């Protein structure tokens, strides 16, 4: 079974991409999605968040929600705004956000290689979120949310992607947020074979984002395999929708932390305790860390730059992460926040919101202290995945996000 293979993509008809593409299902609330679809009857949010077409208060996991997704997909097919390619293709997908450009390959990736950890993960998944994606896939008989993967050191693939983007695109649209999404289909048999062979020689791919989608695809594959006495391994359910980018193009933003209180400490006592593990330097300007080991702290209207004492940085790929060091030396022993998944006293702020958002959360009185983190790097992520370990919650924030609706993978 190959690591990746081409597939017959289900995608917007010519000139319809701008009407259809939408943010990923998990970055918008239902209310936000309802606002986004105003005047956009063909927005993919009608499929990825179909509760927006049902009465307010509808249980997001009720059977009628998944049925509505199928109904909306059928309506888009009937109207001809989306259609499936007649032959199996790879697709080149470029995203442009400001000056940042990243170009990847849309492919069907092997569930078997996910199961054996050749497609490597770095996050835990929640069963309820997996269940939701399984039910969505089964209702649509398609995977509509791509898994965001990364590959390393493949100059031949980089060259193919670059050459393809010099051609006329099959779809080109700028989303509501100003991010441009462009797609090219690769139909040439020789190029397709070259891509497949090159990826087959790779030791691993890495999940950047989409752990629940890949886990759900694996579960659907296992269930359909068990129910199919004629299973061969070639069926489309053995693969999942992915977009695979070269690791050197990916942009990981900081994922910052805010805490509601100082756990009974005064500001002075808090900073004194912090000083046992970090050097503490007051700053007259906001602190955006410039290297591993640095943290910006905003408390009582003032910024401080923290630098971890070098002897406290271990070799373990998880324990040495800046987010891990913060938990080990500040959040847990000083602020009493040990369980980042369940403790209601901590919240997380994506770096795309910037340092002013941290100041706002503290100045409002909602939070007592904010921590500006140095962004986790792709080498950090891959080291954790290669060690078959799991990152702490909220360690990475990838931007830009992939659009839903640009290409979907229909199952047998």
């Amino acid at each position: 079974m190959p690591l990746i293979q081409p597939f017959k993509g289900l995608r917007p008809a010519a000139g319809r991409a701008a009407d259809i593409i939408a943010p990923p299902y998990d970055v918008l609330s239902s209310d936000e999605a309802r606002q986004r679809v105003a005047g956009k009857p063909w927005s993919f949010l009608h499929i990825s968040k179909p509760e927006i077409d049902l009465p307010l208060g509808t249980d997001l996991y009720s059977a009628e929600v998944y049925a509505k997704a199928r109904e909306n997909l059928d309506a888009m097919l009937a109207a001809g705004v989306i259609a499936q390619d007649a032959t199996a293709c790879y697709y080149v997908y470029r995203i442009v956000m400001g000056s940042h450009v990243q170009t990847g390959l849309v492919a069907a990736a092997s569930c078997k290689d996910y199961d054996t950890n050749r497609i490597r993960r770095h996050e835990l998944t929640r069963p309820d979120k997996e269940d939701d994606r399984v039910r969505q896939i089964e209702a649509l008989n398609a995977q509509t949310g791509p898994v965001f993967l990364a590959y390393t050191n493949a100059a031949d693939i980089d060259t193919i992607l670059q050459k393809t983007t010099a051609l006329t695109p099959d779809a080109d649209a700028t989303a509501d947020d100003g991010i441009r999404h462009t797609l090219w289909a690769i139909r040439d048999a020789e190029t397709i074979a070259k891509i497949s062979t090159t990826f087959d020689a790779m030791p691993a791919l890495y999940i950047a984002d989409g752990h629940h989608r890949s886990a759900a695809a694996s579960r659907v594959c296992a269930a359909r395999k068990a129910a199919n006495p004629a299973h061969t391994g070639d069926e489309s359910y053995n693969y999942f929708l992915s977009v695979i980018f070269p690791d050197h193009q990916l942009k990981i933003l900081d994922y910052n932390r805010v805490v509601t209180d100082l756990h009974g400490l005064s500001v002075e006592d808090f900073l004194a305790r912090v000083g046992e593990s970090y050097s503490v330097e007051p700053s007259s300007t906001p602190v955006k860390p410039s290297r591993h080991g640095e943290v910006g702290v905003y408390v009582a209207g003032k910024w401080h730059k923290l630098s971890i004492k070098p002897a406290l940085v271990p070799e373990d790929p998880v324990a040495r992460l800046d987010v891990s060091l913060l938990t080990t030396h500040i959040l847990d022993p000083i602020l009493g926040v040990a369980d980042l998944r369940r403790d209601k006293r901590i919240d997380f702020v994506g770096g795309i919101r910037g340092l002013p958002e941290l100041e706002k959360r503290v100045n409002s009185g909602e939070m007592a202290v904010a921590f500006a983190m140095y962004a986790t790097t792709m080498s950090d992520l891959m080291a954790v995945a290669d060690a078959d370990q799991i990152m702490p919650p909220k360690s990475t924030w990838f931007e830009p996000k992939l659009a839903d609706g640009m290409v979907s993978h229909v199952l047998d």
Side-chain angles (χ1 to χ4, degrees):
M1 183 179 295
L3 178 61
I4 66 167
Q5 67 175 17
F7 65 101
K8 299 175 182 178
L10 179 66
R11 55 192 185 86
R16 304 308 297 261
D19 300 326
I20 292 169
I21 63 169
Y25 78 98
D26 54 353
V27 302
L28 297 177
S29 69
S30 299
D31 287 341
E32 289 170 332
R34 287 187 183 92
Q35 294 171 12
R36 287 287 190 100
V37 300
K40 300 188 76 171
W42 303 122
S43 169
F44 211 78
L45 289 170
H46 292 286
I47 294 169
S48 60
K49 295 189 74 67
E51 72 274 8
I52 63 177
D53 297 321
L54 294 169
L56 288 173
T58 299
D59 181 356
L60 298 183
Y61 306 122
S62 65
E64 60 185 321
V65 170
Y66 303 102
K68 191 65 177 178
R70 180 73 229 192
E71 178 186 328
N72 290 343
L73 176 62
D74 288 342
M76 292 176 73
L77 287 164
V81 297
I82 58 173
Q84 188 173 11
D85 283 323
T87 59
C89 307
Y90 285 123
Y91 304 88
V92 177
Y93 180 13
R94 170 168 282 174
I95 313 177
V96 179
M97 181 179 72
S99 61
H100 176 76
V101 180
Q102 62 188 60
T103 307
L105 182 79
V106 186
S110 165
C111 290
K112 179 180 179 181
D113 284 312
Y114 168 82
D115 293 337
T116 60
N117 206 37
R118 186 180 176 195
I119 298 176
R120 294 182 182 163
R121 66 211 80 170
H122 65 267
E123 286 184 6
L124 295 174
T125 55
R126 285 174 42 182
D128 59 330
K129 290 192 172 185
E130 282 188 31
D131 292 346
D132 169 54
R133 291 301 91 191
V134 167
R135 296 181 72 186
Q136 178 83 352
I137 293 169
E138 292 288 16
L140 299 175
N141 198 41
Q143 300 151 351
T144 57
V147 177
F148 185 163
L149 301 177
Y151 67 85
T152 63
N153 303 322
D156 288 350
I157 298 299
D158 295 350
T159 299
I160 290 172
L161 300 184
Q162 194 63 39
K163 286 182 177 178
T164 303
T165 59
L167 305 174
T168 302
D170 289 77
D172 191 7
T174 299
D176 297 344
D177 55 9
I179 296 174
R180 185 178 179 184
H181 302 263
T182 311
L183 191 81
W184 296 260
I186 296 178
R187 301 179 178 88
D188 175 67
E190 185 176 340
T191 305
I192 287 173
K194 173 67 173 176
I195 291 170
S196 299
T197 301
T198 304
F199 271 91
D200 261 349
M202 294 181 185
L205 298 176
Y206 297 86
I207 299 175
D209 198 8
H211 285 79
H212 288 94
R213 280 162 278 180
S214 48
S218 173
R219 284 175 50 184
V220 170
C221 174
R224 293 196 176 194
K225 177 181 177 181
N228 181 8
H231 173 84
T232 65
D234 295 327
E235 299 86 358
S236 60
Y237 60 71
N238 291 285
Y239 295 85
F240 61 89
L241 178 65
S242 66
V243 185
I244 319 169
F245 292 95
D247 64 331
H248 58 83
Q249 290 186 7
L250 299 185
K251 187 179 182 68
I252 305 179
L253 301 185
D254 41 305
Y255 217 153
N256 303 312
R257 281 90 166 104
V258 288
V259 181
T260 58
D261 61 82
L262 296 181
H263 205 43
L265 298 172
S266 66
V267 172
E268 293 75 17
D269 288 343
F270 166 70
L271 292 174
R273 289 284 306 278
V274 169
E276 296 170 8
S277 304
Y278 292 80
S279 65
V280 181
E281 179 184 344
S283 175
S284 59
T285 58
V287 177
K288 185 172 180 64
S290 60
R291 60 176 178 82
H292 276 302
E294 282 187 0
V295 180
V297 172
Y298 186 69
V299 61
K302 296 181 180 179
W303 281 96
H304 302 265
K305 183 170 76 172
L306 310 184
S307 299
I308 190 72
K309 295 179 179 179
L312 298 179
V313 181
E315 292 298 321
D316 180 82
V318 175
R320 68 181 290 109
L321 295 172
D322 287 308
V323 290
S324 298
L325 294 171
L326 186 79
T327 298
T328 300
H329 298 289
I330 298 179
L331 296 181
D332 185 1
I334 301 176
L335 297 180
V337 178
D339 189 344
L340 274 62
R341 296 182 187 279
R342 295 180 177 84
D343 198 315
K344 302 300 185 184
R345 295 170 54 232
I346 190 168
D347 198 8
F348 305 89
V349 181
I352 198 167
R353 295 181 179 273
L355 299 183
E357 179 68 14
L358 300 183
E359 294 181 347
K360 176 184 173 184
R361 299 285 292 272
V362 173
N363 292 343
S364 70
E366 176 195 5
M367 298 291 174
V369 60
F371 300 94
M373 307 303 300
Y374 183 69
T376 302
T377 65
M378 277 303 298
S379 59
D380 293 331
L381 183 154
M382 290 186 292
V384 172
D386 286 340
D388 199 17
Q389 296 193 53
I390 299 298
M391 281 189 167
K394 311 296 186 183
S395 294
T396 58
W397 180 284
F398 283 91
E399 286 287 348
K401 304 292 187 186
L402 306 178
D404 279 1
M406 187 62 97
V407 189
S408 297
H409 180 222
V410 177
L411 304 186
D412 292 330

